[in-house]
Amino acid sequence: TRVAILISGGGSNMIRLVRDMTGDHPARPVLVASNDPQAGGLARAAALGVPTAAVDHRDFPRDRAGFEAALLQPLLAADPDIICLAGFMRILTPAFVQRFAGRMLNIHPSLLPKYPGLATHARAIAAGDAQAGCTVHLVTPELDAGPVLGQARVPVLPGDDADALAARVLVQEHRLYPAVLRRFAAGDHTPVML
Ligand code: GRF
């Protein structure tokens, strides 16, 4: 099973996914691509021997379709079976998403359906939630709304600010995403609940 991973920044989730795809894991990483040529994750992926590509979305101002057409080139050349969005910070058009319907995953730093979109940790704290966490879901045209493939929960602690909670959730992201990809790549869509 061929896995392509899309990133926008440091790629800490991508690193965990790549490192997990060894031995008897049914999947292998075939591409790491970014919308930012300066993304730190690109050098980290290359250091792990994974082919990389970058398409700068700033080269396509107000032209989301043009950016996606450019991104599709290295993506389709890699011929992935599964695409993992991992810290990928661009919204994809329905047309792009539909091309990979049922085989594009995303990790979102909240317990969906709570807090789709941005600033998830600040919102959980402001709401006085006792728990927060992260969700891996299938990507559908509606932002952060597809079927849940896994969730991990953490406590919100007194005195938490968004950074403290983000750090606590990120540790769980790094556990959850590899576990979900292993199960999904084996054809099992049973949600992973950590
Ligand atoms: C993190 O905030 C994480 O919660 C979200 O994307 C951001 C960067 O992740 N998934 P990564 O380190 O680039 O994987």
Side-chain angles (χ1 to χ4, degrees):
T1 303
R2 302 169 62 86
V3 174
I5 306 172
L6 302 187
I7 65 171
S8 294
S12 72
N13 278 289
M14 173 274 297
I15 290 294
R16 271 59 179 198
L17 293 175
V18 168
R19 285 195 187 135
D20 194 51
M21 282 186 265
T22 60
D24 67 349
H25 193 303
R28 288 292 182 274
V30 294
L31 180 70
V32 170
S34 179
N35 62 293
D36 179 354
Q38 304 304 316
L42 290 171
R44 300 170 81 185
L48 292 174
V50 183
T52 62
V55 176
D56 193 336
H57 68 273
R58 287 168 289 250
D59 291 345
F60 302 88
R62 296 179 310 291
D63 180 10
R64 199 178 294 273
F67 163 68
E68 291 181 353
L71 179 62
L72 267 180
Q73 287 183 17
L75 202 51
L76 295 180
D79 190 25
D81 301 297
I82 298 170
I83 296 180
C84 289
L85 308 182
F88 186 69
M89 303 305 281
R90 304 302 296 170
I91 292 176
L92 295 165
T93 63
F96 188 97
V97 169
Q98 294 299 5
R99 285 186 83 112
F100 303 101
R103 57 197 183 98
M104 184 185 290
L105 283 60
N106 180 49
I107 188 158
H108 178 77
S110 79
L111 295 173
L112 291 174
K114 295 183 83 168
Y115 314 128
L118 299 174
T120 60
H121 306 303
R123 291 154 71 189
I125 292 168
D129 292 353
Q131 287 196 320
C134 49
T135 305
V136 176
H137 63 95
L138 279 171
V139 176
T140 58
E142 184 184 354
L143 183 68
D144 299 332
V148 171
L149 294 176
Q151 286 196 318
R153 292 171 178 275
V154 301
V156 179
L157 299 175
D160 267 350
D161 61 6
D163 287 346
L165 183 52
R168 190 173 310 125
V169 170
L170 193 59
V171 170
Q172 297 308 316
E173 292 181 40
H174 295 164
R175 295 177 61 225
L176 179 67
Y177 215 166
V180 170
L181 181 56
R182 273 183 181 263
R183 188 174 287 189
F184 190 83
D188 178 355
H189 292 197
T190 314
V192 173
M193 306 313 277
L194 295 184

